[in-house]
Amino acid sequence: MLKLSRNIVLTAVGVALIGGIVVAQTAPMEPIQWDKRRLDQLDRNVRRLERAVTQRNAAGQPVLVEPDPEVVALQGRVESMDRRLSDLEDTLRRVNAETERLTFGIDEAQRDNTALRNRLVDADRRIKAIEDAAAAEAELNAPIVANSPTGAAPTDIAAAVRLLETDAARGERALQTVIATWPDTPQAREANSRLGDLYVSRDQRADAVRVYAAALQGWPTINWAGETTLKLADALIATDRKTQACAALGEFQRRYSQGGTAAQRTRAGQLRGRAACPAN
């Protein structure tokens, strides 16, 4: 029995069967240009080989084509590579799934971090507000001491009045500082008068009486003295000290009525009626 391996078959295709002379290809050939002529020649050689195989089979000498060991080895390598490729694909799928899970986790962590950052910022803001409030409270409760921010009584009282318009608590301390820094001055008297107005606005009439009286000590001839005297009388009536209110109104009549306005004189009459002052 004749056994032809796959190598023989492949070699037979590469052998030129021309004129009964078989020429083996022993040297490397240049790449074949597969044009129509060469394809036709290859087709004829394949047909000759088929006829030779058919004749041997008919003569009881079958041709057995055995697998080429190199091809078998190559197939094994291909199968191994297929398995490795499949393993790589499975690994890639697992990596992709893990990546998606990690990405989701990172997104969640970023959202949590953003929320935490916002809470921290809010907490910092609230803490700062508390600290600022505590500092302001400490400043407002500190003892009043002599201190001149501008170095002169007129500019100190002007600065205190401006501050009073925007921050009543600090403005009040500024007026008290003017009194402590510049006692027995017109600016200290004005500061007391303005403090009286502030206390009246808070319905602190007894405190208003105290500072109005300090502003009018000695009955000054300052232009605001007449108006402050009427405010003192009003605060005295509100604190049920009508006798003292009538005395203050008497001082207004003697000292400030002539230089006062008609509205002030009218108001003085109304206050005398409220205090039931005796007729002069």
Side-chain angles (χ1 to χ4, degrees), residues 13-14 33 74 76 100 103-104 113-114 121 126 134 141 144 156 158 171 180 182 186 216 234 237 257 273:
V13 174
Q33 299 297 326
L74 182 60
E100 291 179 359
T103 300
F104 179 77
N113 287 340
T114 300
V121 170
R126 293 171 63 185
N141 292 329
I144 301 295
D156 280 356
W182 308 103
L216 294 169
D234 188 31
I237 294 171
S257 177

Side-chain angles (χ1 to χ4, degrees), residues 89-130:
E89 290 176 345
D90 292 340
T91 302
L92 182 60
R93 282 192 291 270
R94 289 194 299 271
V95 169
N96 287 339
E98 184 68 14
T99 300
E100 291 179 359
R101 187 185 67 80
L102 290 175
T103 300
F104 179 77
I106 291 172
D107 292 341
E108 286 288 325
Q110 288 178 342
R111 285 192 290 271
D112 292 343
N113 287 340
T114 300
L116 181 59
R117 187 182 303 109
N118 291 338
R119 292 179 62 184
L120 288 175
V121 170
D122 181 65
D124 287 342
R125 185 167 52 248
R126 293 171 63 185
I127 290 172
K128 187 178 184 305
I130 292 172

